[in-house]
Amino acid sequence: MEHQEIKDLLALAALDRLEGEEARALSHHLAAGCDECEAELREFREVAASLALALEPAGSPVRILNRLDERLAASAESSPWSRPIRRGQELVPVASSQLIRWRAATAIATAALIAASAFAILSINRAAHLQAQFERQMATRDAQLRELHTRLASSRGEIITLERVLRDKARLDQILMAPDLRLTRLEPLKPAPRGAGLVAVSNVNHTALLQVSGLPPTPSDKTYELWWITRESGPIKAGLFQVEGPGTVIAQAEPPPAGQHALLSAVTLEPAGGSNSPTGAMYLKGVAG
Amino acid sequence: MSGPELEGASDRDLVAAVAEGSIEALRELSSRYGRMLTALAMRFLGSESDAEEVASDVLWQVWREARLFDASRGSVMAWLVMLGRSRSIDRLRAIKARSASAEPQIPVCPAADPASEVDRAERARMVRAALMNIDAQERMALELAYFSDLSHSEIAKKLGIPLGTAKTRIRSAMIKLREALLKTEK
Ligand SMILES: [Zn+2]
Protein backbone atom coordinates (compact mmCIF):
# COMPACT_ATOMS: atom_id res chain seq x y z
CA MET A 1 0.00 0.00 0.00
CA GLU A 2 1.13 3.51 -0.70
CA HIS A 3 1.74 6.16 1.95
CA GLN A 4 -1.57 7.91 1.26
CA GLU A 5 -3.62 4.73 1.57
CA ILE A 6 -1.86 3.94 4.83
CA LYS A 7 -2.46 7.46 6.08
CA ASP A 8 -6.16 6.94 5.56
CA LEU A 9 -6.04 3.90 7.80
CA LEU A 10 -4.46 5.63 10.78
CA ALA A 11 -7.64 6.89 12.44
CA LEU A 12 -8.97 3.34 12.48
CA ALA A 13 -5.61 1.88 13.39
CA ALA A 14 -5.55 3.99 16.56
CA LEU A 15 -8.59 2.01 17.72
CA ASP A 16 -6.72 -1.26 17.21
CA ARG A 17 -9.37 -2.65 14.95
CA LEU A 18 -7.53 -3.14 11.68
CA GLU A 19 -7.94 -6.57 10.21
CA GLY A 20 -5.66 -8.88 8.25
CA GLU A 21 -4.05 -7.26 5.27
CA GLU A 22 -4.59 -3.68 6.44
CA ALA A 23 -2.90 -4.38 9.74
CA ARG A 24 0.02 -6.07 7.99
CA ALA A 25 0.38 -3.25 5.46
CA LEU A 26 0.43 -0.67 8.23
CA SER A 27 3.05 -2.43 10.29
CA HIS A 28 5.24 -2.89 7.20
CA HIS A 29 4.89 0.76 6.36
CA LEU A 30 5.79 1.85 9.89
CA ALA A 31 8.64 -0.62 10.10
CA ALA A 32 10.00 0.89 6.89
CA GLY A 33 10.26 4.13 8.86
CA CYS A 34 7.56 6.57 7.82
CA ASP A 35 7.85 9.27 10.46
CA GLU A 36 4.81 11.13 9.24
CA CYS A 37 2.47 8.18 9.60
CA GLU A 38 4.00 7.26 12.92
CA ALA A 39 3.46 10.76 14.29
CA GLU A 40 -0.09 10.87 13.02
CA LEU A 41 -0.90 7.46 14.48
CA ARG A 42 0.45 8.67 17.82
CA GLU A 43 -1.79 11.71 17.61
CA PHE A 44 -4.85 9.60 16.84
CA ARG A 45 -4.01 7.37 19.79
CA GLU A 46 -4.09 10.41 22.05
CA VAL A 47 -7.44 11.34 20.55
CA ALA A 48 -8.73 7.83 21.19
CA ALA A 49 -7.45 7.92 24.79
CA SER A 50 -9.34 11.14 25.39
CA LEU A 51 -12.57 9.18 24.90
CA ALA A 52 -11.87 7.42 28.18
CA LEU A 53 -11.33 10.74 29.86
CA ALA A 54 -14.76 11.90 28.78
CA LEU A 55 -16.46 9.15 30.74
CA GLU A 56 -17.85 9.87 34.15
CA PRO A 57 -15.23 8.50 36.57
CA ALA A 58 -16.39 5.32 38.28
CA GLY A 59 -15.42 3.01 41.08
CA SER A 60 -13.99 3.62 44.51
CA PRO A 61 -10.42 4.91 44.74
CA VAL A 62 -10.00 3.07 48.03
CA ARG A 63 -11.10 -0.27 46.61
CA ILE A 64 -8.87 0.22 43.60
CA LEU A 65 -5.90 0.93 45.87
CA ASN A 66 -6.71 -2.07 48.04
CA ARG A 67 -6.83 -4.36 45.04
CA LEU A 68 -3.58 -2.88 43.82
CA ASP A 69 -1.98 -3.55 47.20
CA GLU A 70 -3.17 -7.15 47.08
CA ARG A 71 -1.55 -7.57 43.69
CA LEU A 72 1.66 -5.96 44.82
CA ALA A 73 1.81 -8.25 47.80
CA ALA A 74 1.04 -11.30 45.67
CA SER A 75 3.55 -10.35 43.01
CA ALA A 76 6.22 -9.68 45.59
CA GLU A 77 5.94 -13.34 46.47
CA SER A 78 6.67 -14.43 42.94
CA SER A 79 8.78 -11.75 41.24
CA PRO A 80 11.38 -10.46 43.53
CA TRP A 81 14.67 -8.81 42.89
CA SER A 82 14.21 -7.44 39.45
CA ARG A 83 12.89 -4.13 40.74
CA PRO A 84 15.42 -1.37 41.01
CA ILE A 85 15.53 0.58 44.22
CA ARG A 86 16.31 4.19 44.86
CA ARG A 87 19.84 5.32 45.24
CA GLY A 88 21.23 6.11 48.66
CA GLN A 89 23.82 8.65 49.75
CA GLU A 90 27.57 8.27 49.80
CA LEU A 91 29.12 6.65 52.81
CA VAL A 92 31.10 8.68 55.30
CA PRO A 93 34.54 7.05 55.57
CA VAL A 94 35.40 5.63 58.99
CA ALA A 95 38.47 3.82 60.31
CA SER A 96 39.40 0.55 62.09
CA SER A 97 38.42 -3.04 61.46
CA GLN A 98 38.12 -6.58 62.70
CA LEU A 99 38.73 -9.92 61.03
CA ILE A 100 35.85 -12.27 60.74
CA ARG A 101 35.39 -15.68 59.14
CA TRP A 102 32.53 -16.43 56.91
CA ARG A 103 31.19 -18.54 54.15
CA ALA A 104 29.53 -17.67 50.88
CA ALA A 105 27.16 -19.62 48.73
CA THR A 106 25.57 -18.95 45.38
CA ALA A 107 22.01 -20.06 44.83
CA ILE A 108 19.64 -20.10 41.93
CA ALA A 109 17.14 -17.31 41.92
CA THR A 110 14.30 -19.43 43.28
CA ALA A 111 15.86 -19.46 46.69
CA ALA A 112 15.76 -15.71 46.51
CA LEU A 113 11.98 -15.77 46.74
CA ILE A 114 12.01 -15.99 50.46
CA ALA A 115 14.37 -13.19 51.28
CA ALA A 116 12.88 -11.23 48.42
CA SER A 117 9.53 -11.32 50.08
CA ALA A 118 11.13 -9.61 53.00
CA PHE A 119 12.37 -7.03 50.57
CA ALA A 120 8.86 -6.46 49.35
CA ILE A 121 7.73 -5.89 52.88
CA LEU A 122 10.22 -3.10 53.22
CA SER A 123 9.08 -1.58 49.96
CA ILE A 124 5.49 -1.60 50.97
CA ASN A 125 6.72 -0.15 54.17
CA ARG A 126 3.79 -1.02 56.32
CA ALA A 127 4.80 -2.67 59.49
CA ALA A 128 1.27 -3.80 60.20
CA HIS A 129 1.38 -6.07 57.19
CA LEU A 130 4.59 -7.73 58.19
CA GLN A 131 3.08 -10.52 60.19
CA ALA A 132 0.40 -11.37 57.65
CA GLN A 133 2.91 -11.27 54.85
CA PHE A 134 5.23 -13.61 56.65
CA GLU A 135 2.49 -16.10 57.28
CA ARG A 136 1.50 -16.05 53.66
CA GLN A 137 5.09 -16.46 52.58
CA MET A 138 5.57 -19.38 54.90
CA ALA A 139 2.51 -21.01 53.38
CA THR A 140 3.52 -20.42 49.76
CA ARG A 141 7.15 -21.28 50.25
CA ASP A 142 6.66 -24.97 50.81
CA ALA A 143 4.47 -25.17 47.74
CA GLN A 144 7.13 -23.36 45.74
CA LEU A 145 9.81 -25.70 46.95
CA ARG A 146 7.70 -28.76 46.24
CA GLU A 147 7.17 -27.54 42.71
CA LEU A 148 10.84 -26.77 42.41
CA HIS A 149 11.64 -30.26 43.61
CA THR A 150 9.46 -31.79 40.91
CA ARG A 151 10.97 -29.69 38.19
CA LEU A 152 14.55 -30.23 39.18
CA ALA A 153 14.37 -33.90 40.01
CA SER A 154 14.90 -34.84 36.37
CA SER A 155 18.52 -33.83 36.22
CA ARG A 156 21.39 -34.78 38.44
CA GLY A 157 23.09 -31.42 38.11
CA GLU A 158 19.88 -29.71 38.99
CA ILE A 159 19.45 -31.90 42.05
CA ILE A 160 22.75 -30.63 43.33
CA THR A 161 21.43 -27.12 42.87
CA LEU A 162 18.25 -28.06 44.68
CA GLU A 163 20.22 -29.32 47.63
CA ARG A 164 21.97 -26.02 47.77
CA VAL A 165 18.63 -24.23 47.59
CA LEU A 166 17.28 -26.31 50.44
CA ARG A 167 20.34 -25.53 52.49
CA ASP A 168 19.79 -21.86 51.82
CA LYS A 169 16.14 -22.28 52.60
CA ALA A 170 16.99 -23.73 55.97
CA ARG A 171 19.22 -20.76 56.66
CA LEU A 172 16.60 -18.36 55.47
CA ASP A 173 13.99 -20.09 57.59
CA GLN A 174 16.14 -19.83 60.60
CA ILE A 175 16.86 -16.19 60.13
CA LEU A 176 13.47 -15.06 58.90
CA MET A 177 11.81 -16.53 61.94
CA ALA A 178 14.27 -15.04 64.40
CA PRO A 179 12.51 -12.87 66.97
CA ASP A 180 15.12 -10.13 66.57
CA LEU A 181 15.27 -10.19 62.76
CA ARG A 182 16.58 -6.92 61.34
CA LEU A 183 16.48 -6.17 57.65
CA THR A 184 18.58 -3.62 55.82
CA ARG A 185 17.97 -2.77 52.23
CA LEU A 186 21.13 -2.08 50.26
CA GLU A 187 20.77 0.54 47.62
CA PRO A 188 22.77 0.79 44.41
CA LEU A 189 25.63 3.24 44.01
CA LYS A 190 27.30 4.46 40.82
CA PRO A 191 29.38 1.37 39.91
CA ALA A 192 26.24 -0.84 39.79
CA PRO A 193 23.16 1.28 39.17
CA ARG A 194 20.98 -1.83 38.84
CA GLY A 195 22.29 -3.43 41.98
CA ALA A 196 20.10 -4.33 44.92
CA GLY A 197 20.68 -6.07 48.18
CA LEU A 198 19.12 -7.12 51.42
CA VAL A 199 20.85 -7.99 54.65
CA ALA A 200 19.05 -9.94 57.32
CA VAL A 201 20.63 -10.12 60.77
CA SER A 202 19.72 -12.02 63.88
CA ASN A 203 21.96 -11.74 66.91
CA VAL A 204 19.90 -14.32 68.76
CA ASN A 205 20.72 -16.91 66.08
CA HIS A 206 24.13 -15.41 65.51
CA THR A 207 23.36 -15.36 61.81
CA ALA A 208 23.45 -12.86 59.00
CA LEU A 209 22.45 -13.41 55.41
CA LEU A 210 23.13 -11.25 52.44
CA GLN A 211 21.27 -11.39 49.18
CA VAL A 212 22.40 -9.32 46.22
CA SER A 213 21.52 -8.99 42.58
CA GLY A 214 22.52 -6.77 39.71
CA LEU A 215 26.22 -6.62 40.57
CA PRO A 216 28.79 -7.15 37.80
CA PRO A 217 30.67 -10.48 37.91
CA THR A 218 33.65 -10.40 40.27
CA PRO A 219 36.92 -9.79 38.35
CA SER A 220 39.37 -12.69 38.84
CA ASP A 221 41.74 -10.73 41.08
CA LYS A 222 38.98 -9.21 43.21
CA THR A 223 36.28 -10.09 45.68
CA TYR A 224 33.15 -8.40 46.93
CA GLU A 225 33.19 -7.67 50.61
CA LEU A 226 30.34 -6.88 52.97
CA TRP A 227 30.88 -4.46 55.84
CA TRP A 228 29.10 -3.42 58.96
CA ILE A 229 29.73 0.18 59.85
CA THR A 230 29.33 0.45 63.60
CA ARG A 231 29.40 3.44 65.85
CA GLU A 232 31.87 1.73 68.13
CA SER A 233 34.47 0.34 65.69
CA GLY A 234 33.81 1.86 62.29
CA PRO A 235 33.81 -0.65 59.40
CA ILE A 236 33.89 -4.30 60.39
CA LYS A 237 34.47 -7.12 57.90
CA ALA A 238 31.33 -9.19 57.53
CA GLY A 239 32.37 -11.53 54.74
CA LEU A 240 33.41 -12.09 51.15
CA PHE A 241 31.32 -13.23 48.23
CA GLN A 242 31.67 -13.69 44.49
CA VAL A 243 29.25 -12.95 41.67
CA GLU A 244 29.61 -15.35 38.75
CA GLY A 245 26.89 -14.21 36.43
CA PRO A 246 23.46 -12.66 36.28
CA GLY A 247 20.99 -13.72 38.92
CA THR A 248 20.95 -13.61 42.64
CA VAL A 249 23.66 -14.44 45.11
CA ILE A 250 22.89 -15.46 48.66
CA ALA A 251 25.73 -15.48 51.11
CA GLN A 252 25.98 -16.18 54.78
CA ALA A 253 27.73 -13.47 56.72
CA GLU A 254 28.99 -12.94 60.21
CA PRO A 255 26.63 -10.69 62.21
CA PRO A 256 28.02 -7.58 63.89
CA PRO A 257 29.87 -8.44 67.13
CA ALA A 258 27.75 -8.61 70.26
CA GLY A 259 27.05 -5.24 71.77
CA GLN A 260 27.81 -3.39 68.55
CA HIS A 261 25.09 -1.90 66.49
CA ALA A 262 25.59 -1.57 62.74
CA LEU A 263 24.52 1.87 61.55
CA LEU A 264 25.17 1.02 57.92
CA SER A 265 25.92 -1.96 55.72
CA ALA A 266 27.96 -1.65 52.57
CA VAL A 267 29.44 -3.77 49.80
CA THR A 268 32.78 -2.84 48.27
CA LEU A 269 35.02 -4.46 45.67
CA GLU A 270 38.36 -5.44 47.24
CA PRO A 271 41.54 -7.25 46.16
CA ALA A 272 41.20 -11.06 46.19
CA GLY A 273 41.31 -12.35 49.73
CA GLY A 274 39.54 -9.31 51.05
CA SER A 275 40.70 -6.25 52.96
CA ASN A 276 40.61 -5.40 56.63
CA SER A 277 39.02 -2.05 55.95
CA PRO A 278 37.28 -0.83 52.80
CA THR A 279 39.70 0.24 50.05
CA GLY A 280 37.75 -0.27 46.81
CA ALA A 281 34.71 1.20 45.14
CA MET A 282 31.44 0.95 47.02
CA TYR A 283 28.68 -0.88 45.10
CA LEU A 284 25.83 -1.06 47.59
CA LYS A 285 24.99 0.73 50.76
CA GLY A 286 22.11 0.74 53.19
CA VAL A 287 21.17 2.41 56.44
CA ALA A 288 20.34 -0.19 59.07
CA GLY A 289 16.66 -0.23 60.02
CA MET B 1 9.51 12.30 46.01
CA SER B 2 7.06 12.52 48.86
CA GLY B 3 3.44 13.50 49.37
CA PRO B 4 3.16 17.12 48.24
CA GLU B 5 5.92 16.68 45.64
CA LEU B 6 4.04 13.76 44.14
CA GLU B 7 0.85 15.72 43.84
CA GLY B 8 2.65 18.35 41.81
CA ALA B 9 4.63 15.88 39.69
CA SER B 10 3.86 15.35 36.03
CA ASP B 11 2.51 11.98 34.93
CA ARG B 12 5.83 11.25 33.27
CA ASP B 13 7.77 12.01 36.43
CA LEU B 14 5.47 9.67 38.31
CA VAL B 15 6.07 6.84 35.86
CA ALA B 16 9.81 7.47 36.11
CA ALA B 17 9.54 7.29 39.91
CA VAL B 18 7.52 4.07 39.68
CA ALA B 19 10.28 2.66 37.47
CA GLU B 20 12.66 3.44 40.32
CA GLY B 21 10.48 1.50 42.72
CA SER B 22 8.32 4.21 44.26
CA ILE B 23 5.05 2.75 45.48
CA GLU B 24 3.97 6.23 46.51
CA ALA B 25 4.20 7.37 42.88
CA LEU B 26 2.15 4.37 41.82
CA ARG B 27 -0.49 5.30 44.37
CA GLU B 28 -0.56 8.83 43.03
CA LEU B 29 -1.12 7.49 39.51
CA SER B 30 -3.87 5.35 40.96
CA SER B 31 -5.55 8.37 42.46
CA ARG B 32 -5.23 10.30 39.20
CA TYR B 33 -6.39 7.59 36.83
CA GLY B 34 -7.94 4.74 38.83
CA ARG B 35 -11.49 5.99 38.39
CA MET B 36 -11.00 6.84 34.73
CA LEU B 37 -9.69 3.33 34.12
CA THR B 38 -12.62 1.89 36.04
CA ALA B 39 -15.06 3.93 33.96
CA LEU B 40 -13.36 2.73 30.80
CA ALA B 41 -13.48 -0.90 31.86
CA MET B 42 -17.12 -0.53 32.92
CA ARG B 43 -18.05 0.37 29.37
CA PHE B 44 -16.73 -3.01 28.32
CA LEU B 45 -17.76 -5.11 31.26
CA GLY B 46 -20.80 -3.47 32.83
CA SER B 47 -19.77 -4.55 36.31
CA GLU B 48 -18.14 -2.02 38.60
CA SER B 49 -16.38 -4.69 40.56
CA ASP B 50 -14.87 -6.28 37.43
CA ALA B 51 -13.95 -2.83 36.22
CA GLU B 52 -12.11 -1.94 39.44
CA GLU B 53 -10.28 -5.21 39.07
CA VAL B 54 -9.17 -4.17 35.58
CA ALA B 55 -8.09 -0.74 36.85
CA SER B 56 -5.91 -2.27 39.52
CA ASP B 57 -4.60 -4.80 36.96
CA VAL B 58 -3.50 -1.93 34.77
CA LEU B 59 -1.77 -0.15 37.65
CA TRP B 60 -0.08 -3.35 38.60
CA GLN B 61 1.13 -3.69 35.01
CA VAL B 62 2.45 -0.14 35.26
CA TRP B 63 4.37 -1.21 38.35
CA ARG B 64 5.98 -4.05 36.45
CA GLU B 65 6.54 -2.28 33.15
CA ALA B 66 7.15 1.35 34.04
CA ARG B 67 10.69 1.03 32.78
CA LEU B 68 9.38 0.17 29.34
CA PHE B 69 7.33 3.33 29.09
CA ASP B 70 8.69 5.54 26.33
CA ALA B 71 7.55 9.14 26.69
CA SER B 72 8.51 9.87 23.11
CA ARG B 73 5.78 7.51 21.94
CA GLY B 74 2.84 9.19 23.65
CA SER B 75 1.38 10.43 26.90
CA VAL B 76 1.08 8.45 30.10
CA MET B 77 -2.68 8.74 29.83
CA ALA B 78 -2.70 7.23 26.34
CA TRP B 79 -0.54 4.41 27.63
CA LEU B 80 -2.83 3.75 30.60
CA VAL B 81 -5.89 3.84 28.39
CA MET B 82 -4.28 1.49 25.90
CA LEU B 83 -3.49 -0.95 28.72
CA GLY B 84 -6.97 -0.48 30.20
CA ARG B 85 -8.63 -1.19 26.92
CA SER B 86 -6.66 -4.27 26.21
CA ARG B 87 -7.10 -5.65 29.76
CA SER B 88 -10.84 -4.94 29.46
CA ILE B 89 -11.04 -6.77 26.16
CA ASP B 90 -9.12 -9.73 27.59
CA ARG B 91 -11.53 -9.92 30.48
CA LEU B 92 -14.55 -9.43 28.26
CA ARG B 93 -13.43 -12.32 26.08
CA ALA B 94 -12.85 -14.49 29.11
CA ILE B 95 -16.36 -13.70 30.33
CA LYS B 96 -17.83 -14.32 26.88
CA ALA B 97 -16.07 -17.64 26.73
CA ARG B 98 -17.78 -18.62 29.97
CA SER B 99 -21.23 -17.37 29.06
CA ALA B 100 -22.50 -16.29 25.68
CA SER B 101 -24.64 -13.58 27.24
CA ALA B 102 -22.28 -10.62 27.59
CA GLU B 103 -23.35 -8.25 24.86
CA PRO B 104 -21.63 -4.93 24.42
CA GLN B 105 -24.01 -2.13 25.16
CA ILE B 106 -24.88 0.43 22.55
CA PRO B 107 -23.15 3.47 23.92
CA VAL B 108 -24.91 6.43 25.39
CA CYS B 109 -23.55 9.94 25.54
CA PRO B 110 -21.00 10.28 28.28
CA ALA B 111 -22.54 11.92 31.31
CA ALA B 112 -21.28 15.09 32.91
CA ASP B 113 -19.16 14.74 35.99
CA PRO B 114 -18.32 17.14 38.81
CA ALA B 115 -14.91 18.72 38.31
CA SER B 116 -12.20 16.97 40.27
CA GLU B 117 -8.66 17.77 39.30
CA VAL B 118 -8.78 20.85 37.20
CA ASP B 119 -6.68 19.86 34.20
CA ARG B 120 -8.15 16.47 33.64
CA ALA B 121 -11.65 17.72 34.28
CA GLU B 122 -11.10 20.54 31.85
CA ARG B 123 -9.85 18.21 29.17
CA ALA B 124 -12.75 15.85 29.87
CA ARG B 125 -15.12 18.76 29.39
CA MET B 126 -13.49 19.60 26.08
CA VAL B 127 -13.75 16.05 24.85
CA ARG B 128 -17.40 15.87 25.80
CA ALA B 129 -18.11 19.15 24.06
CA ALA B 130 -16.25 17.92 21.00
CA LEU B 131 -18.22 14.67 20.99
CA MET B 132 -21.48 16.59 21.16
CA ASN B 133 -20.59 18.33 17.94
CA ILE B 134 -20.10 15.09 16.07
CA ASP B 135 -22.99 13.62 14.14
CA ALA B 136 -24.82 11.14 16.40
CA GLN B 137 -24.48 8.22 13.98
CA GLU B 138 -20.77 8.77 13.60
CA ARG B 139 -20.32 9.14 17.32
CA MET B 140 -22.17 5.92 17.96
CA ALA B 141 -19.98 4.04 15.47
CA LEU B 142 -16.87 5.48 17.09
CA GLU B 143 -17.96 4.62 20.61
CA LEU B 144 -18.92 1.14 19.56
CA ALA B 145 -15.50 0.68 17.97
CA TYR B 146 -13.74 2.04 21.00
CA PHE B 147 -15.70 0.56 23.89
CA SER B 148 -16.12 -2.98 22.60
CA ASP B 149 -14.08 -5.76 21.11
CA LEU B 150 -16.21 -5.85 17.96
CA SER B 151 -14.54 -5.97 14.55
CA HIS B 152 -15.53 -3.45 11.91
CA SER B 153 -17.77 -5.98 10.23
CA GLU B 154 -19.48 -6.82 13.51
CA ILE B 155 -20.05 -3.13 14.14
CA ALA B 156 -21.51 -2.74 10.66
CA LYS B 157 -23.83 -5.66 11.31
CA LYS B 158 -24.88 -4.33 14.68
CA LEU B 159 -25.67 -0.92 13.24
CA GLY B 160 -27.28 -2.41 10.14
CA ILE B 161 -25.04 -0.56 7.70
CA PRO B 162 -22.51 -1.66 5.07
CA LEU B 163 -18.94 -2.29 6.23
CA GLY B 164 -17.55 0.61 4.20
CA THR B 165 -20.04 2.99 5.78
CA ALA B 166 -19.15 1.82 9.26
CA LYS B 167 -15.47 2.43 8.63
CA THR B 168 -16.16 5.84 7.10
CA ARG B 169 -18.25 6.88 10.09
CA ILE B 170 -15.65 5.78 12.63
CA ARG B 171 -12.87 7.44 10.72
CA SER B 172 -14.78 10.64 10.20
CA ALA B 173 -15.66 10.81 13.90
CA MET B 174 -12.02 10.36 14.86
CA ILE B 175 -10.92 13.11 12.51
CA LYS B 176 -13.58 15.50 13.78
CA LEU B 177 -12.70 14.75 17.37
CA ARG B 178 -9.05 15.37 16.64
CA GLU B 179 -9.83 18.69 14.96
CA ALA B 180 -12.07 19.79 17.80
CA LEU B 181 -9.42 18.94 20.37
CA LEU B 182 -6.69 20.69 18.42
CA LYS B 183 -8.86 23.76 18.13
CA THR B 184 -9.67 23.93 21.82
CA GLU B 185 -6.04 23.34 22.76
CA LYS B 186 -5.00 26.44 20.85
ZN1 LIG C 1 3.43 7.02 5.62
Side-chain angles (χ1 to χ4, degrees):
Chain A
M1 267 191 239
E2 295 298 315
H3 168 76
Q4 192 53 48
E5 286 175 89
I6 296 286
K7 213 160 136 63
D8 290 343
L9 287 177
L10 297 174
L12 296 174
L15 301 167
D16 299 316
R17 283 294 171 280
L18 288 191
E19 284 158 36
E21 198 192 327
E22 287 178 338
R24 273 192 298 277
L26 173 64
S27 61
H28 274 134
H29 186 71
L30 293 179
C34 178
D35 290 345
E36 188 187 336
C37 285
E38 187 158 339
E40 194 166 331
L41 179 59
R42 203 177 307 141
E43 199 176 304
F44 272 123
R45 284 195 196 283
E46 298 290 335
V47 170
S50 71
L51 286 168
L53 196 61
L55 298 172
E56 183 174 9
S60 138
V62 175
R63 280 199 304 266
I64 297 167
L65 263 185
N66 285 343
R67 285 171 197 238
L68 178 60
D69 281 347
E70 282 165 22
R71 272 184 179 63
L72 287 167
S75 75
E77 280 162 13
S78 61
S79 78
W81 287 82
S82 52
R83 293 210 61 79
I85 51 182
R86 275 167 289 177
R87 192 162 300 172
Q89 295 152 345
E90 295 299 323
L91 185 75
V92 186
V94 238
S96 172
S97 70
Q98 241 183 4
L99 188 70
I100 276 158
R101 278 179 302 117
W102 91 326
R103 211 145 49 93
T106 306
I108 62 169
T110 317
L113 284 173
I114 300 140
S117 305
F119 173 76
I121 290 164
L122 293 183
S123 313
I124 292 169
N125 197 16
R126 282 192 301 177
H129 280 192
L130 196 113
Q131 186 61 34
Q133 286 248 2
F134 261 54
E135 280 163 10
R136 224 179 312 154
Q137 287 153 22
M138 295 297 159
T140 54
R141 187 186 44 218
D142 284 331
Q144 286 162 355
L145 280 155
R146 268 199 305 279
E147 194 205 322
L148 188 66
H149 199 293
T150 317
R151 270 193 281 137
L152 295 190
S154 59
S155 143
R156 192 184 165 76
E158 286 170 334
I159 289 172
I160 293 167
T161 312
L162 177 63
E163 283 165 356
R164 204 188 289 161
V165 168
L166 290 170
R167 229 173 23 243
D168 286 327
K169 173 191 179 289
R171 286 187 200 131
L172 287 165
D173 270 356
Q174 192 192 12
I175 195 161
L176 286 176
M177 292 196 290
D180 65 334
L181 172 69
R182 288 193 312 280
L183 297 169
T184 302
R185 220 168 97 176
L186 300 182
E187 311 203 321
L189 299 171
K190 275 220 182 76
R194 299 174 66 87
L198 182 75
V199 182
V201 177
S202 161
N203 285 96
V204 169
N205 291 347
H206 196 72
T207 317
L209 273 183
L210 164 72
Q211 173 164 348
V212 295
S213 63
L215 294 185
T218 322
S220 59
D221 56 341
K222 303 273 185 187
T223 180
Y224 285 107
E225 188 156 5
L226 175 71
W227 305 92
W228 309 119
I229 318 291
T230 68
R231 187 183 293 119
E232 296 83 0
S233 316
I236 295 176
K237 256 181 109 153
L240 310 177
F241 66 95
Q242 316 305 328
V243 173
E244 280 157 15
T248 300
V249 172
I250 294 184
Q252 194 166 7
E254 200 68 27
Q260 297 211 23
H261 178 63
L263 304 171
L264 298 169
S265 302
V267 168
T268 60
L269 189 63
E270 299 294 334
S275 307
N276 290 331
S277 59
T279 63
M282 190 170 291
Y283 280 68
L284 298 171
K285 193 209 73 173
V287 178
Chain B
M1 281 193 280
S2 60
E5 271 178 78
L6 283 172
E7 280 166 36
S10 71
D11 290 350
R12 283 173 191 193
D13 290 344
L14 288 177
V15 172
V18 171
E20 293 282 308
S22 165
I23 290 208
E24 294 75 16
L26 183 68
R27 291 170 156 267
E28 175 63 20
L29 279 175
S30 174
S31 85
R32 285 186 195 180
Y33 291 110
R35 300 189 73 223
M36 180 197 78
L37 289 166
T38 306
L40 172 66
M42 263 182 88
R43 289 299 291 265
F44 286 85
L45 303 168
S47 141
E48 186 180 49
S49 161
D50 284 353
E52 285 173 346
E53 195 80 20
V54 167
S56 63
D57 255 351
V58 168
L59 290 157
W60 181 51
Q61 194 170 355
V62 168
W63 173 245
R64 287 173 300 145
E65 295 176 4
R67 275 172 293 175
L68 305 179
F69 174 71
D70 178 358
S72 71
R73 300 189 59 189
S75 67
V76 171
M77 193 190 83
W79 183 48
L80 293 174
V81 168
M82 189 267 290
L83 295 176
R85 228 172 134 243
S86 88
R87 289 289 75 73
S88 297
I89 289 172
D90 290 347
R91 187 168 276 248
L92 183 66
R93 288 182 181 160
I95 293 169
K96 275 184 178 173
R98 281 199 300 272
S99 75
S101 68
E103 277 284 297
Q105 299 153 354
I106 293 276
V108 293
C109 287
D113 111 86
S116 44
E117 287 116 318
V118 183
D119 288 349
R120 281 180 291 281
E122 175 59 17
R123 184 162 168 90
R125 199 190 53 73
M126 278 161 30
V127 177
R128 281 189 208 110
L131 280 170
M132 290 307 173
N133 285 324
I134 296 174
D135 171 80
Q137 287 187 321
E138 288 180 359
R139 194 175 65 222
M140 185 174 285
L142 172 62
E143 293 192 2
L144 206 46
Y146 192 69
F147 295 116
S148 80
D149 66 338
L150 298 180
S151 67
H152 290 143
S153 7
E154 288 167 320
I155 292 169
K157 207 171 138 200
K158 202 162 192 72
L159 296 176
I161 53 177
L163 174 61
T165 312
K167 285 189 185 177
T168 306
R169 282 186 190 172
I170 298 166
R171 183 164 173 272
S172 159
M174 279 290 279
I175 290 168
K176 285 175 187 164
L177 185 56
R178 177 176 70 163
E179 275 160 14
L181 290 174
L182 284 176
K183 211 180 293 165
T184 41
E185 270 162 14
K186 268 169 199 161

